[in-house]
Amino acid sequence: MSPRMIVRFLKSQFSRMGFLRAPRPIACSNCFSDRGLRLDAERFGQKRSAVCPNCKGIGYGQLTRDQLLSLSHRFFVWGSIQRASYGAAPLVQFNEMQSTCIEVEPWLKPDISLLQRLLGIGFFYYGPRLWMVGEVEPLKALQRKKQRASILDRILKEYPERSIGPMDTFFRVRVNPAQPSDPSQYDSPPVTFTGRGRLDSVGRPILYGSSDLEICVHECRVSAEDEVFAATLTPLRDLRLLDLSVLLPEKDGVTEFESLDMAVHMLFLAGKHAYEITRAISDAALTAGFDGLIYPSYFSLLRTGAMPFETTFGISHRRIEQMQKREQDKSIQNIALFGWPIAEGKVTARCINRVVISRVAYGFHFGPTFPAT
Ligand SMILES: [Zn+2]
């Protein structure tokens, strides 16, 4: 057989097996009734000249089976995530084994039937594995004052130390500073203002910064009439930091329920009720002689557009080796330095700029609402 005949033979075999056939669209955004689902479908879909095989509409974004599955996941699963004090879990899940049992509003009913028919899936209420809503032993121990110290010890021992020096820079943003060009304005706030943030306790000030300027601006809750300034800060000597932003490698047998990594991850994604614990970690690191911390920003997920606490078959992606790089990339690193590092000569302002906020953009997608029970 000539090479050309071999290629032709292989092509015919592959095409019989469906490898070379481009997946065909089976629905379009116009097939849906729920407005949010229509808008999401239009973004997922691709405009084609042919009519939609389902509704016969022309000019709408058309979706293949895989795209409809992704759309269903984003709308129903991600779109139904409920936050707990620690962690979060979707209210709805779907698969090919179960039939639909969720109660939805009238405008979503036809869409559920359509997805059921086209994809052979059913939507049901998801019973989350309890670690997803904070049933994580080291996290529970941190919440109990008597057991806290042993977990703080583990955090200091198991998380890596990282050093930053004169070659590194990070930003510190101030809103309406009295003297914008004065470097001391970018030091930690005066002692009377301590004890209000995620890591500073009364009398123990913290200089908060980040190498991500958007995070700095967002964390300052800037509004249109504010004068905003950013100092580019650099250490004058090597500083020892405890790095809590890493995905902590743990032994194979360690489940999410026992995971220190999951505990710390959930802690920094939690609201103000977690401050008592995050401040205790900060105090422990100060006592242990560190100059500060690197920690994941509370706004990491908003900044990276990532879904919180992603799982496959109830297993956290943080515990699946192939997913860990992607999980680590979801975290934006902030920096916290103890004391008044500018006054103490540990850090200097290399440059101070005015920041002109010219545009704010929001990214969003939709989810269902459920009838009142
Ligand atoms: Zn259609």
Side-chain angles (χ1 to χ4, degrees), residues 128-179:
R129 291 183 72 207
L130 291 178
W131 68 263
M132 297 176 77
V133 287
E135 282 293 314
V136 178
E137 288 308 323
L139 181 58
K140 285 161 68 182
L142 281 168
Q143 293 167 69
R144 297 180 192 123
K145 285 215 170 99
K146 280 190 182 157
Q147 297 173 14
R148 187 175 289 168
S150 67
I151 307 295
L152 292 178
D153 273 355
R154 279 191 62 197
I155 291 175
L156 291 177
K157 281 196 197 105
E158 294 181 34
Y159 276 84
E161 180 180 324
R162 214 168 94 189
S163 163
I164 59 164
M167 299 302 285
D168 298 298
T169 59
F170 58 95
F171 298 109
R172 162 126 162 100
V173 166
R174 286 287 321 272
V175 177
N176 306 321
Q179 294 291 334

Side-chain angles (χ1 to χ4, degrees), residues 12-87:
S12 71
Q13 291 299 303
F14 282 145
S15 102
R16 192 177 299 163
M17 289 187 276
F19 281 138
L20 296 179
R21 225 176 288 144
R24 292 190 178 188
I26 54 176
C28 75
S29 63
N30 187 49
C31 295
F32 295 105
S33 133
D34 182 286
R35 301 312 291 189
L37 190 53
R38 279 177 78 101
L39 287 167
D40 275 354
E42 186 63 25
R43 282 189 240 170
F44 262 91
Q46 206 184 328
K47 291 251 192 305
R48 294 171 204 251
S49 52
V51 298
C52 167
N54 179 59
C55 73
K56 312 294 178 223
I58 299 176
Y60 300 96
Q62 298 187 353
L63 298 94
T64 62
R65 180 184 164 81
D66 282 349
Q67 287 168 326
L68 278 180
L69 285 169
S70 302
L71 172 71
S72 303
H73 183 267
R74 199 165 68 166
F75 186 84
F76 290 95
V77 182
W78 192 348
S80 71
I81 282 194
Q82 311 286 309
R83 285 188 80 105
S85 292
Y86 293 100

